[in-house]
């Protein structure tokens, strides 16, 4: 059996300057080129055949990398240069063309491999649709069977639809993890549901399994980033490690045209960006993913891809601020 299914990404930048990088494209190096242990490892899970709605989210890992040249390593708001933080690109998981269960198995195996071989590195998966989250969390649990995993989910939806009906689709990952006893419902914090986008039967399932649902309306009364901070503190007190999943459909549709299931009334980009700073600053967050961004549905100026890349950089900024404390 292969230890992992990683292959070189479809897109990579040629950097001719190893010293004093100023753009993200110059800063991030391939994992193979690292002699030391990276602070953060990023890898792609380019699959979207498992999406309930038609989606080209499998294209995002490549477009994510292409967008690196548009961003500096310096964050003027926090007065932080990310260049000293060691980020390695492990490439993309080699997905089977048609076999979804096999592709999901490869995501689990690859996440297990990265988690085992780089236990001190933060691990970040770039999706792909939300089905990938269940696979990644199972891979972590495989390596740490006696540890308790908590999930912070930023999402418009609960993603607890029945996999017996839909299969292992992007609307089912949280239910999959609860039903197979990988994660307990009480260790899941979902921030972002709002409006008319979750059936009552799904709310009933969530309540039955003690999932902590914080509606966007409730989060805004306290402040979204403060709500995220307090949710992370709560999880860190009762679990061994936290997995954060950022479904980009948490954003309002006016901000994110390139998300198949985005809705009116969602988060603003500033609310998401501020929240990701807090997520990066939390030591218990060992794993994070960004899922469900479809470049094929984006605008001509690629605003959603830019938002996705910016969001990831905010998380990294939080990691750097954590290390400075």
């Amino acid at each position: 059996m292969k230890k992992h299914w990683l292959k070189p990404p479809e897109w990579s930048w040629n950097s001719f300057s190893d010293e004093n990088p100023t753009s993200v494209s110059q800063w991030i190096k391939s994992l193979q080129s690292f002699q030391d242990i990276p602070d953060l490892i990023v890898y792609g899970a380019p699959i979207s055949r498992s999406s309930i709605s038609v989606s080209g989210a499998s294209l995002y890992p490549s477009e994510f990398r292409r967008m690196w040249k548009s961003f500096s390593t310096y964050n003027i708001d926090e007065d932080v240069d990310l260049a000293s933080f060691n980020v390695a690109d492990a490439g993309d998981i080699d997905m089977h063309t048609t076999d979804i269960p096999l592709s999901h198995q490869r995501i689990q195996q690859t996440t297990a491999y990265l988690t085992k071989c780089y236990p001190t590195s933060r691990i970040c998966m770039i999706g792909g649709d939300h089905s990938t989250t269940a696979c990644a969390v199972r891979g972590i649990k495989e390596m740490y069977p006696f540890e308790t995993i908590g999930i912070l989910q930023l999402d418009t939806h609960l993603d607890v639809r029945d996999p017996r009906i839909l299969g292992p689709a992007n609307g089912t990952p949280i239910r999959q993890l609860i039903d197979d006893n990988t994660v307990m419902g009480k260790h899941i914090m979902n921030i972002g549901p709002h409006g008319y986008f979750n059936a009552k039967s799904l709310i009933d399932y969530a309540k039955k399994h003690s999932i902590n649902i914080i509606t966007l309306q409730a989060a805004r009364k306290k402040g979204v980033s403060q709500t995220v901070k307090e949710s992370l503190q709560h999880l860190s007190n009762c679990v061994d490690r936290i997995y954060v999943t950022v479904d980009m459909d948490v954003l309002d549709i006016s901000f994110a045209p390139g998300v198949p299931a985005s809705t009116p009334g969602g988060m603003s980009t500033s609310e998401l960006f501020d929240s990701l700073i807090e997520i990066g600053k939390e030591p218990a967050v060992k794993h994070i993913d960004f899922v469900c961004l479809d470049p094929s549905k984006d605008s001509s100026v690629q605003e959603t891809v830019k938002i996705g890349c910016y969001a990831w950089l905010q998380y990294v900024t939080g990691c750097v601020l954590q290390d400075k404390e």
Side-chain angles (χ1 to χ4, degrees), residues 3-301:
K3 291 184 178 180
H4 65 78
W5 294 89
L6 292 165
K7 64 177 183 178
E10 291 183 0
W11 177 268
S12 60
W13 290 98
N14 291 322
S15 177
F16 300 103
S17 174
D18 293 330
E19 297 182 0
N20 302 318
T22 58
S23 76
V24 174
S25 61
Q26 297 170 329
W27 160 50
I28 300 174
K29 308 297 183 185
S30 69
L31 181 58
Q32 293 78 11
S33 69
F34 266 81
Q35 296 181 353
D36 298 324
I37 302 298
D39 298 308
L40 171 68
I41 297 172
V42 61
Y43 67 111
I47 184 173
S48 50
R49 289 182 180 273
S50 38
S51 177
I52 295 171
S53 55
V54 177
S55 172
S58 59
L59 303 172
Y60 182 53
S62 181
E63 294 305 311
F64 170 69
R65 294 182 178 96
R66 288 175 187 269
M67 192 56 67
W68 289 350
K69 194 173 184 179
S70 300
F71 290 88
S72 165
T73 60
Y74 177 68
N75 182 335
I76 193 172
D77 298 307
E78 302 294 336
D79 189 23
V80 166
D81 194 336
L82 306 179
S84 61
F85 191 75
N86 294 318
V87 178
D89 183 358
D92 289 338
I93 300 169
D94 186 15
M95 297 298 176
H96 191 278
T97 305
T98 58
D99 192 330
I100 293 172
L102 179 58
S103 294
H104 284 170
Q105 184 182 55
R106 290 178 179 182
I107 296 170
Q108 179 174 335
Q109 290 174 347
T110 302
T111 305
Y113 165 79
L114 290 172
T115 301
K116 179 180 181 180
C117 293
Y118 301 93
T120 61
S121 300
R122 301 166 178 89
I123 308 293
C124 174
M125 181 175 68
I126 304 296
D129 67 52
H130 214 169
S131 68
T132 59
T133 296
C135 314
V137 175
R138 287 194 192 102
I140 297 160
K141 188 68 173 180
E142 184 182 328
M143 292 298 100
Y144 296 97
F146 302 111
E147 287 196 8
T148 304
I149 300 173
I151 295 178
L152 176 68
Q153 178 183 3
L154 303 185
D155 203 334
T156 289
H157 308 94
L158 298 177
D159 286 348
V160 294
R161 297 173 75 170
D162 194 341
R164 294 173 300 178
I165 298 172
L166 295 175
N170 67 328
T172 69
I174 301 303
R175 182 159 179 167
Q176 289 182 55
L177 294 170
I178 293 173
D179 288 352
D180 66 14
N181 297 313
T182 301
V183 178
M184 299 176 68
K186 67 180 181 179
H187 295 152
I188 297 170
M189 310 286 295
N190 183 317
I191 302 174
H194 62 277
Y196 312 92
F197 309 107
N198 291 277
K200 178 65 162 55
S201 60
L202 303 181
I203 303 297
D204 292 341
Y205 174 91
K207 289 180 178 179
K208 177 182 177 181
H209 292 275
S210 303
I211 294 175
N212 301 280
I213 304 172
I214 304 175
T215 66
L216 190 52
Q217 183 181 63
R220 281 177 169 150
K221 289 180 179 179
K222 183 176 290 185
V224 174
S225 63
Q226 180 62 26
T227 301
V228 167
K229 183 177 181 179
E230 292 179 6
S231 297
L232 289 168
Q233 290 172 343
H234 170 76
L235 285 175
S236 67
N237 289 331
C238 55
V239 301
D240 298 305
R241 62 179 61 223
I242 298 173
Y243 187 106
V244 175
T245 179
V246 183
D247 188 327
M248 296 300 287
D249 76 20
V250 76
L251 288 170
D252 188 274
I253 194 170
S254 62
F255 293 101
V259 178
S262 59
T263 63
M267 276 191 196
S268 68
T269 51
S270 60
E271 288 171 332
L272 177 61
F273 295 159
D274 290 347
S275 297
L276 284 161
I277 291 281
E278 296 301 328
I279 289 167
K281 288 164 66 175
E282 172 53 54
V285 175
K286 307 297 185 183
H287 315 270
I288 189 169
D289 68 40
F290 294 83
V291 297
C292 294
L293 196 160
D294 180 356
S296 71
K297 291 183 171 64
D298 208 0
S299 69
S300 60
V301 296

